[in-house]
Amino acid sequence: MFCYQCQEAAKGTGCTIQGVCGKTNHVANLQDLLIYTLKGIAVLNEKGKAAGVKSPEADFHIMHSLFMTITNANFDDAAIAKTIKEGLAVREALKASLAAKGVELGDLHDCATFSVSTDEQIEAKSTDLKAGVGVLATENEDVRSLRELVIYGLKGMAAYAHHAYNIGAEKEEIYAFISKALAATLDDSLTADELVALVMETGKYGVEAMALLDGANTGKYGNPELSEVNIGVRNNPAILISGHDLTDMEQLMEQTKGTGVDVYTHSEMLPANYYPAFKKYDNLVGNYGNSWWKQKEEFESFNGPVLFTTNCIVPPRPEHISRIYTTGAAGYPGCTHIVADENGKKDFSAIIAQAKTLAAPTEIETGSIVGGFAHAQVFALADKVVDAVKSGAIKKFFVMAGCDGRMKSREYYTEFAEKLPEGTVILTAGCAKYRYNKLPLGDIGGIPRVLDAGQCNDSYSLAVIALKLKEVFELNDINELPIAYNIAWYEQKAVIVLLALLYLGVKNIHLGPTLPAFLSPNVAKVLVETFGIAGIGKVEDDIALFMA
Ligand code: FSO
Ligand code: SF4
């Protein structure tokens, strides 16, 4: 195996024996083969474009499979092998449609022609570097870096497009771009400049995907609003729901209401508490615990069953497996996976029944956290915010969106939040917030000093807010605003968020706790020189630099 797609890549270069995330060599190789299969489908999609051949099955398959390969989403080798076989069937069906339209296929890349059916064949193909399977199949490290940067961006984009799809929102252009970009990662004729342009275009479609999801989420569940979320517990049996998918959240709430079983959110599902549609359920108690990497201890004290709607899954303690459930793109061997029927309906009755046999959660903290500052809520406070900036009460905003992770170096973000001078406000989204959302940072004239927009995809809201402020203050450039960007990343959704911000013209983003292992020195140099991307240093030095 070779994987360097996340921030915790071993030794800052890549995992080669087993993932720091817990991904085995076997699963990593299968994920490589899955990506390779998708490239084959993408090549055929490209061929069919001119002839108007469209395959919703192919588009869905690509989107769903990309999501499965995101860090901590799916550890289930059998599920991945099955998805590879399904992909080959989708690919062959696409070939038949192309033939029916008289499209000449010409010489096809191996990824569009290979076939495997037995487990042994899959295993053997999964390490076929020569054919082009796996990250290291691209020998030139700069080309590899740019290709993988695109692919990781596509994974994040696919995740967001998938959530939107589940709500019924789709955009043809996003699917078309995903196929185009995947196929382009096979094209040896592209120059470095053309690949950099493709990276930027990935950011453009990242904005589209986040906007699509924002519209879908708020259209269906209302605009997030200022909320106080309880972090204590009640005395009823309960289910913990993690991940990002709001349609799963909705179905769980509908199925648990009136059953005597409570629901708590974990990690990235916390922002569900901000939506009007979920506030109406009196069995949604609040949020339990912290960000994803604390789940082993927190699942122990939670006592009840856990539903993963997406990443991040940490390989569970064996004794917890029987009360962990996955759905959608998530998966873990031994955990029950709940599949939707043809209408998207999921039956969570087994989880509810199990919850009733287990103890209520053990309280690990009390109090509440405040959030719900997506664009509509911030716009509702716009006058207050603008006045505070004009009067100098707010001197600077810090966008600290992104991810949390296990590394000790992430204590930087807690310290950074604590040491920020008066007159500063943190704008956050994603699970990075758990590093400072329980600190007593106070408010500025009623505006909390930590404004949480929501999930990582709600970083879109932060961009919308920045664009609005630019308009209000009549500036020409988004970079003239008193906003600094100190972003923490972990997995590939953060990659698409970063590319989206670059596409929107945001400069001088600081990225930590370490720069991606997949950036070759030359590619890193381009990002530094063109966009002013920088790492992080000492808290005091960084604050002084940002405030200067
Ligand atoms: Fe991921 Fe980051 Fe959204 Fe977290 S991008 S790690 S679980 O912020 O939240 O999916
Ligand atoms: Fe390593 Fe991250 Fe890849 Fe897991 S996802 S194998 S931790 S680089």
Side-chain angles (χ1 to χ4, degrees), residues 168-431:
E170 293 186 86
K171 199 160 189 180
E172 198 65 49
E173 294 87 337
I174 295 173
Y175 299 147
F177 176 75
I178 291 176
S179 271
K180 178 186 112 166
L182 273 176
T185 64
L186 296 166
D187 186 349
D188 291 328
S189 74
L190 293 183
T191 63
D193 284 348
E194 285 168 328
L195 281 169
V196 170
L198 187 65
V199 168
M200 283 295 103
E201 205 182 352
T202 307
K204 173 180 173 200
Y205 284 97
V207 176
E208 299 265 334
M210 281 188 264
L212 182 71
L213 179 54
D214 179 75
N217 279 342
T218 56
K220 181 137 194 222
Y221 304 113
N223 276 302
E225 50 195 37
L226 196 158
S227 312
E228 252 193 61
V229 180
N230 174 27
I231 57 174
V233 302
R234 297 201 303 207
N235 208 14
N236 301 321
I239 297 168
L240 191 59
I241 177 169
S242 185
H244 306 68
D245 197 89
L246 296 185
T247 60
D248 290 333
M249 179 74 193
E250 179 187 10
Q251 297 197 44
L252 184 66
M253 293 320 305
E254 273 303 304
Q255 292 177 40
T256 52
K257 73 176 178 195
T259 62
V261 172
D262 285 341
V263 173
Y264 296 77
T265 56
H266 190 256
S267 191
E268 268 291 73
M269 199 54 95
L270 156 65
N273 290 281
Y274 308 154
Y275 284 88
F278 299 123
K279 286 176 188 283
K280 68 173 195 245
Y281 297 100
D282 54 18
N283 64 325
L284 174 59
V285 179
N287 190 68
Y288 188 85
N290 295 281
S291 77
W292 62 271
W293 62 279
K294 298 247 177 98
Q295 61 190 246
K296 278 193 193 174
E297 305 91 277
E298 291 173 357
F299 290 0
E300 176 65 30
S301 57
F302 185 74
N303 302 322
V306 180
L307 172 62
F308 276 106
T309 67
T310 66
N311 59 322
C312 286
I313 301 175
V314 174
R317 293 183 187 164
E319 67 269 28
H320 293 164
I321 286 188
S322 63
R323 58 177 168 96
I324 294 180
Y325 298 78
T326 61
T327 188
Y332 195 86
C335 296
T336 304
H337 186 77
I338 296 171
V339 185
D341 70 12
E342 59 281 1
N343 302 315
K345 281 254 163 304
K346 294 180 182 176
D347 179 1
F348 294 137
S349 57
I351 315 181
I352 299 167
Q354 188 183 35
K356 289 180 176 167
T357 69
L358 296 169
T362 307
E363 194 152 77
I364 52 174
E365 54 193 345
T366 55
S368 60
I369 41 187
V370 175
F373 297 95
H375 51 80
Q377 178 64 78
V378 175
F379 289 176
L381 295 170
D383 291 346
K384 235 180 173 175
V385 173
V386 169
D387 288 348
V389 174
K390 285 189 175 154
S391 73
I394 294 180
K395 294 186 185 61
K396 198 145 209 161
F397 294 96
F398 284 84
V399 170
M400 289 176 71
C403 318
D404 197 9
R406 347 175 206 230
M407 279 187 175
K408 180 136 178 67
S409 53
R410 288 186 188 259
E411 286 169 8
Y412 165 96
Y413 295 102
T414 307
E415 199 189 329
F416 189 92
E418 278 168 338
K419 292 196 170 150
L420 273 177
E422 272 176 38
T424 54
V425 171
I426 295 172
L427 303 173
T428 193
C431 52

Side-chain angles (χ1 to χ4, degrees), residues 42-59:
V43 164
L44 295 171
N45 260 343
E46 284 304 283
K47 298 246 179 217
K49 226 188 219 167
V53 177
K54 282 200 187 128
S55 167
E57 294 76 25
D59 291 338

Side-chain angles (χ1 to χ4, degrees), residues 93-107:
L94 195 50
K95 271 187 200 161
S97 316
L98 291 170
K101 285 264 188 178
V103 177
E104 264 314 317
L105 293 181
D107 265 349

